[in-house]
Amino acid sequence: MAIVTLDHFARCVGEGFEVDMGTGCLVFTLTEARPLPERGFAGMVRAPFSLLFRSASKVLLPQQIYRLRNATLGILDIFLVPVARDKDGIIYQAVFN
């Protein structure tokens, strides 16, 4: 999949995404897919959007590109940043401009 859009992910909210850790996988759940304010510029190929994933693991992963696998979207390499922690786990964000 070359250019992903908000529409691709919006239909996957609530679905699991397997995060390839090399020696095994963690499952993140996509909890939110929302548009971001558009500050258009010449050549913009998609509207900006944000994704939030929840991990039930208490292990904090560093921000970096992770390979995710989803039944609907297939395999995607996404830059994830940990943005919050609560009693249910850790929340990671991906922003697409």
Side-chain angles (χ1 to χ4, degrees), residues 4-21:
V4 292
T5 65
L6 176 61
D7 290 337
H8 289 108
F9 288 98
R11 57 189 167 167
C12 297
V13 171
E15 291 185 11
F17 285 73
E18 291 182 353
V19 180
D20 184 353
M21 301 304 298

Side-chain angles (χ1 to χ4, degrees), residues 68-97:
L68 282 70
R69 176 177 284 126
N70 172 265
T72 303
L73 299 177
I75 297 172
L76 301 160
D77 292 328
I78 298 178
F79 188 80
L80 296 175
V81 177
V83 293
R85 179 187 297 229
D86 61 19
K87 65 180 179 59
D88 297 322
I90 301 170
I91 298 172
Y92 296 86
Q93 183 178 38
V95 175
F96 293 80
N97 302 331

Side-chain angles (χ1 to χ4, degrees), residues 54-65:
R54 175 176 291 280
S55 168
S57 173
K58 300 298 183 191
V59 177
L60 178 66
L61 300 179
Q63 68 179 27
Q64 67 182 40
I65 296 173

Side-chain angles (χ1 to χ4, degrees), residues 38-66:
E38 287 194 44
R39 291 172 176 68
F41 59 89
M44 198 165 144
V45 296
R46 70 170 155 227
F49 64 97
S50 169
L51 305 175
L52 292 180
F53 294 89
R54 175 176 291 280
S55 168
S57 173
K58 300 298 183 191
V59 177
L60 178 66
L61 300 179
Q63 68 179 27
Q64 67 182 40
I65 296 173
Y66 290 94

